Amino acid sequence: MPGSDLDLHALFTLGYGLYIVTSRKDGRRNGQISNAVMQVTDTPPRLAAAVNKGSLTHELISESGVFAVSVLAESAPMKLIGLFGFRSGRSTDKLSQVSHEAGSTGCPIVRDHALACTEVRVETAVDCGTHTVFIGEVVAARIIGRGRPMTYAYYREVLGGKTPPTAPTYRASNAARPRKARKELSAMDKYVCDVCGYVYDPAAGDPDNGVEPGTAFEDLPDEWVCPECGVGKDEFSPAE
């Protein structure tokens, strides 16, 4: 049991970036958002990335021994982050929805809103319980774009982003909301995405996706999806 001298809030002050980690194996490919990527040595240059064991990306890295990292810029929209952060690669071809190219290792490199990319050949895999830390030598690296790299603090505090349960820094108090029971609502009540926490406000609508202000949630087209993480209407619950 944690002692009285173990205040986990101290860990929340650590700095993180926001990246898309990708891999491939035998024609399969996938990528996911990660905030746990860091350089660990200079000569030769090595990177470490923590990946949840239940993810398809983890499976592909384990089998292929290679991964790539795209560093996201502050300009990256929530829809891109939601696609790679909250959707499963087992049911969604994420890479078909973004600009990407194959790197020298064959790993897909996401170019949309990316500042730089690196490719890594795994040398060591450290079992950390729910996650594996893959450590390897950088075999390719280049600058893709210009801008400021997105930090995890910017994603949380400026963009209002949520943390998926598979993230190393997940904590329940700041996670996406659990599903709540349906109740009788007026036409202009708000609905919240159970996956990422996005709130649909009928008064504002969703103009970027063709939904005019004043459109009740029940009147949204069946094909409408969450602008941030891409799930359907059935993953929304009435807001409190």
Side-chain angles (χ1 to χ4, degrees), residues 134-146:
F134 295 103
I135 305 170
E137 184 174 351
V138 175
V139 295
R142 69 179 188 276
I143 299 296
I144 296 177
R146 295 183 178 182

mmCIF file with all atom_site columns, all heavy atoms in Angstrom, residues 134-146:
data_model
loop_
_atom_site.group_PDB
_atom_site.id
_atom_site.type_symbol
_atom_site.label_atom_id
_atom_site.label_alt_id
_atom_site.label_comp_id
_atom_site.label_asym_id
_atom_site.label_entity_id
_atom_site.label_seq_id
_atom_site.pdbx_PDB_ins_code
_atom_site.Cartn_x
_atom_site.Cartn_y
_atom_site.Cartn_z
_atom_site.occupancy
_atom_site.B_iso_or_equiv
_atom_site.pdbx_formal_charge
_atom_site.auth_seq_id
_atom_site.auth_comp_id
_atom_site.auth_asym_id
_atom_site.auth_atom_id
_atom_site.pdbx_PDB_model_num
ATOM 1  N N   . PHE A 1 134 ? 9.384  0.107  -25.137 1.00 0.00 ? 134 PHE A N   1
ATOM 2  C CA  . PHE A 1 134 ? 10.249 -0.315 -26.233 1.00 0.00 ? 134 PHE A CA  1
ATOM 3  C C   . PHE A 1 134 ? 11.395 0.690  -26.363 1.00 0.00 ? 134 PHE A C   1
ATOM 4  O O   . PHE A 1 134 ? 11.157 1.888  -26.510 1.00 0.00 ? 134 PHE A O   1
ATOM 5  C CB  . PHE A 1 134 ? 9.469  -0.384 -27.544 1.00 0.00 ? 134 PHE A CB  1
ATOM 6  C CG  . PHE A 1 134 ? 8.382  -1.429 -27.557 1.00 0.00 ? 134 PHE A CG  1
ATOM 7  C CD1 . PHE A 1 134 ? 7.055  -1.067 -27.399 1.00 0.00 ? 134 PHE A CD1 1
ATOM 8  C CD2 . PHE A 1 134 ? 8.696  -2.768 -27.723 1.00 0.00 ? 134 PHE A CD2 1
ATOM 9  C CE1 . PHE A 1 134 ? 6.044  -2.023 -27.417 1.00 0.00 ? 134 PHE A CE1 1
ATOM 10 C CE2 . PHE A 1 134 ? 7.705  -3.737 -27.744 1.00 0.00 ? 134 PHE A CE2 1
ATOM 11 C CZ  . PHE A 1 134 ? 6.373  -3.372 -27.584 1.00 0.00 ? 134 PHE A CZ  1
ATOM 12 N N   . ILE A 1 135 ? 12.627 0.196  -26.320 1.00 0.00 ? 135 ILE A N   1
ATOM 13 C CA  . ILE A 1 135 ? 13.815 1.044  -26.404 1.00 0.00 ? 135 ILE A CA  1
ATOM 14 C C   . ILE A 1 135 ? 14.623 0.606  -27.616 1.00 0.00 ? 135 ILE A C   1
ATOM 15 O O   . ILE A 1 135 ? 14.871 -0.593 -27.809 1.00 0.00 ? 135 ILE A O   1
ATOM 16 C CB  . ILE A 1 135 ? 14.679 0.930  -25.142 1.00 0.00 ? 135 ILE A CB  1
ATOM 17 C CG1 . ILE A 1 135 ? 13.842 1.238  -23.882 1.00 0.00 ? 135 ILE A CG1 1
ATOM 18 C CG2 . ILE A 1 135 ? 15.889 1.873  -25.222 1.00 0.00 ? 135 ILE A CG2 1
ATOM 19 C CD1 . ILE A 1 135 ? 14.567 0.918  -22.583 1.00 0.00 ? 135 ILE A CD1 1
ATOM 20 N N   . GLY A 1 136 ? 15.014 1.565  -28.436 1.00 0.00 ? 136 GLY A N   1
ATOM 21 C CA  . GLY A 1 136 ? 15.774 1.182  -29.612 1.00 0.00 ? 136 GLY A CA  1
ATOM 22 C C   . GLY A 1 136 ? 16.556 2.322  -30.214 1.00 0.00 ? 136 GLY A C   1
ATOM 23 O O   . GLY A 1 136 ? 16.394 3.497  -29.847 1.00 0.00 ? 136 GLY A O   1
ATOM 24 N N   . GLU A 1 137 ? 17.402 1.964  -31.182 1.00 0.00 ? 137 GLU A N   1
ATOM 25 C CA  . GLU A 1 137 ? 18.250 2.950  -31.849 1.00 0.00 ? 137 GLU A CA  1
ATOM 26 C C   . GLU A 1 137 ? 17.484 3.658  -32.953 1.00 0.00 ? 137 GLU A C   1
ATOM 27 O O   . GLU A 1 137 ? 16.726 3.038  -33.711 1.00 0.00 ? 137 GLU A O   1
ATOM 28 C CB  . GLU A 1 137 ? 19.477 2.274  -32.432 1.00 0.00 ? 137 GLU A CB  1
ATOM 29 C CG  . GLU A 1 137 ? 20.457 3.241  -33.071 1.00 0.00 ? 137 GLU A CG  1
ATOM 30 C CD  . GLU A 1 137 ? 21.734 2.578  -33.530 1.00 0.00 ? 137 GLU A CD  1
ATOM 31 O OE1 . GLU A 1 137 ? 21.951 1.388  -33.199 1.00 0.00 ? 137 GLU A OE1 1
ATOM 32 O OE2 . GLU A 1 137 ? 22.520 3.237  -34.244 1.00 0.00 ? 137 GLU A OE2 1
ATOM 33 N N   . VAL A 1 138 ? 17.695 4.959  -33.055 1.00 0.00 ? 138 VAL A N   1
ATOM 34 C CA  . VAL A 1 138 ? 17.086 5.754  -34.125 1.00 0.00 ? 138 VAL A CA  1
ATOM 35 C C   . VAL A 1 138 ? 17.830 5.453  -35.415 1.00 0.00 ? 138 VAL A C   1
ATOM 36 O O   . VAL A 1 138 ? 19.048 5.663  -35.510 1.00 0.00 ? 138 VAL A O   1
ATOM 37 C CB  . VAL A 1 138 ? 17.154 7.261  -33.804 1.00 0.00 ? 138 VAL A CB  1
ATOM 38 C CG1 . VAL A 1 138 ? 16.626 8.079  -34.985 1.00 0.00 ? 138 VAL A CG1 1
ATOM 39 C CG2 . VAL A 1 138 ? 16.348 7.573  -32.548 1.00 0.00 ? 138 VAL A CG2 1
ATOM 40 N N   . VAL A 1 139 ? 17.097 4.974  -36.427 1.00 0.00 ? 139 VAL A N   1
ATOM 41 C CA  . VAL A 1 139 ? 17.725 4.624  -37.706 1.00 0.00 ? 139 VAL A CA  1
ATOM 42 C C   . VAL A 1 139 ? 17.387 5.629  -38.807 1.00 0.00 ? 139 VAL A C   1
ATOM 43 O O   . VAL A 1 139 ? 18.002 5.608  -39.882 1.00 0.00 ? 139 VAL A O   1
ATOM 44 C CB  . VAL A 1 139 ? 17.310 3.207  -38.143 1.00 0.00 ? 139 VAL A CB  1
ATOM 45 C CG1 . VAL A 1 139 ? 17.850 2.187  -37.158 1.00 0.00 ? 139 VAL A CG1 1
ATOM 46 C CG2 . VAL A 1 139 ? 15.796 3.080  -38.282 1.00 0.00 ? 139 VAL A CG2 1
ATOM 47 N N   . ALA A 1 140 ? 16.435 6.511  -38.550 1.00 0.00 ? 140 ALA A N   1
ATOM 48 C CA  . ALA A 1 140 ? 16.093 7.568  -39.507 1.00 0.00 ? 140 ALA A CA  1
ATOM 49 C C   . ALA A 1 140 ? 15.380 8.680  -38.755 1.00 0.00 ? 140 ALA A C   1
ATOM 50 O O   . ALA A 1 140 ? 14.658 8.425  -37.793 1.00 0.00 ? 140 ALA A O   1
ATOM 51 C CB  . ALA A 1 140 ? 15.191 7.039  -40.627 1.00 0.00 ? 140 ALA A CB  1
ATOM 52 N N   . ALA A 1 141 ? 15.603 9.916  -39.190 1.00 0.00 ? 141 ALA A N   1
ATOM 53 C CA  . ALA A 1 141 ? 14.958 11.060 -38.557 1.00 0.00 ? 141 ALA A CA  1
ATOM 54 C C   . ALA A 1 141 ? 15.018 12.247 -39.498 1.00 0.00 ? 141 ALA A C   1
ATOM 55 O O   . ALA A 1 141 ? 16.013 12.430 -40.208 1.00 0.00 ? 141 ALA A O   1
ATOM 56 C CB  . ALA A 1 141 ? 15.644 11.414 -37.233 1.00 0.00 ? 141 ALA A CB  1
ATOM 57 N N   . ARG A 1 142 ? 13.943 13.028 -39.501 1.00 0.00 ? 142 ARG A N   1
ATOM 58 C CA  . ARG A 1 142 ? 13.955 14.236 -40.335 1.00 0.00 ? 142 ARG A CA  1
ATOM 59 C C   . ARG A 1 142 ? 12.871 15.208 -39.882 1.00 0.00 ? 142 ARG A C   1
ATOM 60 O O   . ARG A 1 142 ? 11.902 14.830 -39.211 1.00 0.00 ? 142 ARG A O   1
ATOM 61 C CB  . ARG A 1 142 ? 13.757 13.892 -41.802 1.00 0.00 ? 142 ARG A CB  1
ATOM 62 C CG  . ARG A 1 142 ? 12.395 13.374 -42.199 1.00 0.00 ? 142 ARG A CG  1
ATOM 63 C CD  . ARG A 1 142 ? 12.370 13.098 -43.701 1.00 0.00 ? 142 ARG A CD  1
ATOM 64 N NE  . ARG A 1 142 ? 11.044 12.780 -44.190 1.00 0.00 ? 142 ARG A NE  1
ATOM 65 C CZ  . ARG A 1 142 ? 10.491 11.585 -44.154 1.00 0.00 ? 142 ARG A CZ  1
ATOM 66 N NH1 . ARG A 1 142 ? 11.150 10.571 -43.593 1.00 0.00 ? 142 ARG A NH1 1
ATOM 67 N NH2 . ARG A 1 142 ? 9.290  11.377 -44.637 1.00 0.00 ? 142 ARG A NH2 1
ATOM 68 N N   . ILE A 1 143 ? 13.056 16.468 -40.264 1.00 0.00 ? 143 ILE A N   1
ATOM 69 C CA  . ILE A 1 143 ? 12.065 17.513 -40.010 1.00 0.00 ? 143 ILE A CA  1
ATOM 70 C C   . ILE A 1 143 ? 11.000 17.448 -41.106 1.00 0.00 ? 143 ILE A C   1
ATOM 71 O O   . ILE A 1 143 ? 11.311 17.317 -42.282 1.00 0.00 ? 143 ILE A O   1
ATOM 72 C CB  . ILE A 1 143 ? 12.730 18.901 -39.994 1.00 0.00 ? 143 ILE A CB  1
ATOM 73 C CG1 . ILE A 1 143 ? 13.787 18.969 -38.882 1.00 0.00 ? 143 ILE A CG1 1
ATOM 74 C CG2 . ILE A 1 143 ? 11.678 19.993 -39.821 1.00 0.00 ? 143 ILE A CG2 1
ATOM 75 C CD1 . ILE A 1 143 ? 13.215 18.831 -37.484 1.00 0.00 ? 143 ILE A CD1 1
ATOM 76 N N   . ILE A 1 144 ? 9.724  17.577 -40.692 1.00 0.00 ? 144 ILE A N   1
ATOM 77 C CA  . ILE A 1 144 ? 8.618  17.546 -41.649 1.00 0.00 ? 144 ILE A CA  1
ATOM 78 C C   . ILE A 1 144 ? 7.986  18.928 -41.815 1.00 0.00 ? 144 ILE A C   1
ATOM 79 O O   . ILE A 1 144 ? 7.657  19.351 -42.919 1.00 0.00 ? 144 ILE A O   1
ATOM 80 C CB  . ILE A 1 144 ? 7.540  16.537 -41.208 1.00 0.00 ? 144 ILE A CB  1
ATOM 81 C CG1 . ILE A 1 144 ? 8.104  15.123 -41.211 1.00 0.00 ? 144 ILE A CG1 1
ATOM 82 C CG2 . ILE A 1 144 ? 6.316  16.615 -42.122 1.00 0.00 ? 144 ILE A CG2 1
ATOM 83 C CD1 . ILE A 1 144 ? 7.127  14.081 -40.714 1.00 0.00 ? 144 ILE A CD1 1
ATOM 84 N N   . GLY A 1 145 ? 7.784  19.629 -40.701 1.00 0.00 ? 145 GLY A N   1
ATOM 85 C CA  . GLY A 1 145 ? 7.106  20.919 -40.764 1.00 0.00 ? 145 GLY A CA  1
ATOM 86 C C   . GLY A 1 145 ? 7.663  21.888 -39.749 1.00 0.00 ? 145 GLY A C   1
ATOM 87 O O   . GLY A 1 145 ? 8.665  21.615 -39.075 1.00 0.00 ? 145 GLY A O   1
ATOM 88 N N   . ARG A 1 146 ? 7.002  23.026 -39.650 1.00 0.00 ? 146 ARG A N   1
ATOM 89 C CA  . ARG A 1 146 ? 7.426  24.074 -38.722 1.00 0.00 ? 146 ARG A CA  1
ATOM 90 C C   . ARG A 1 146 ? 6.299  24.393 -37.747 1.00 0.00 ? 146 ARG A C   1
ATOM 91 O O   . ARG A 1 146 ? 5.124  24.219 -38.060 1.00 0.00 ? 146 ARG A O   1
ATOM 92 C CB  . ARG A 1 146 ? 7.819  25.337 -39.475 1.00 0.00 ? 146 ARG A CB  1
ATOM 93 C CG  . ARG A 1 146 ? 9.048  25.170 -40.372 1.00 0.00 ? 146 ARG A CG  1
ATOM 94 C CD  . ARG A 1 146 ? 9.425  26.489 -41.020 1.00 0.00 ? 146 ARG A CD  1
ATOM 95 N NE  . ARG A 1 146 ? 10.623 26.369 -41.843 1.00 0.00 ? 146 ARG A NE  1
ATOM 96 C CZ  . ARG A 1 146 ? 11.188 27.374 -42.488 1.00 0.00 ? 146 ARG A CZ  1
ATOM 97 N NH1 . ARG A 1 146 ? 10.654 28.598 -42.412 1.00 0.00 ? 146 ARG A NH1 1
ATOM 98 N NH2 . ARG A 1 146 ? 12.273 27.173 -43.207 1.00 0.00 ? 146 ARG A NH2 1
#
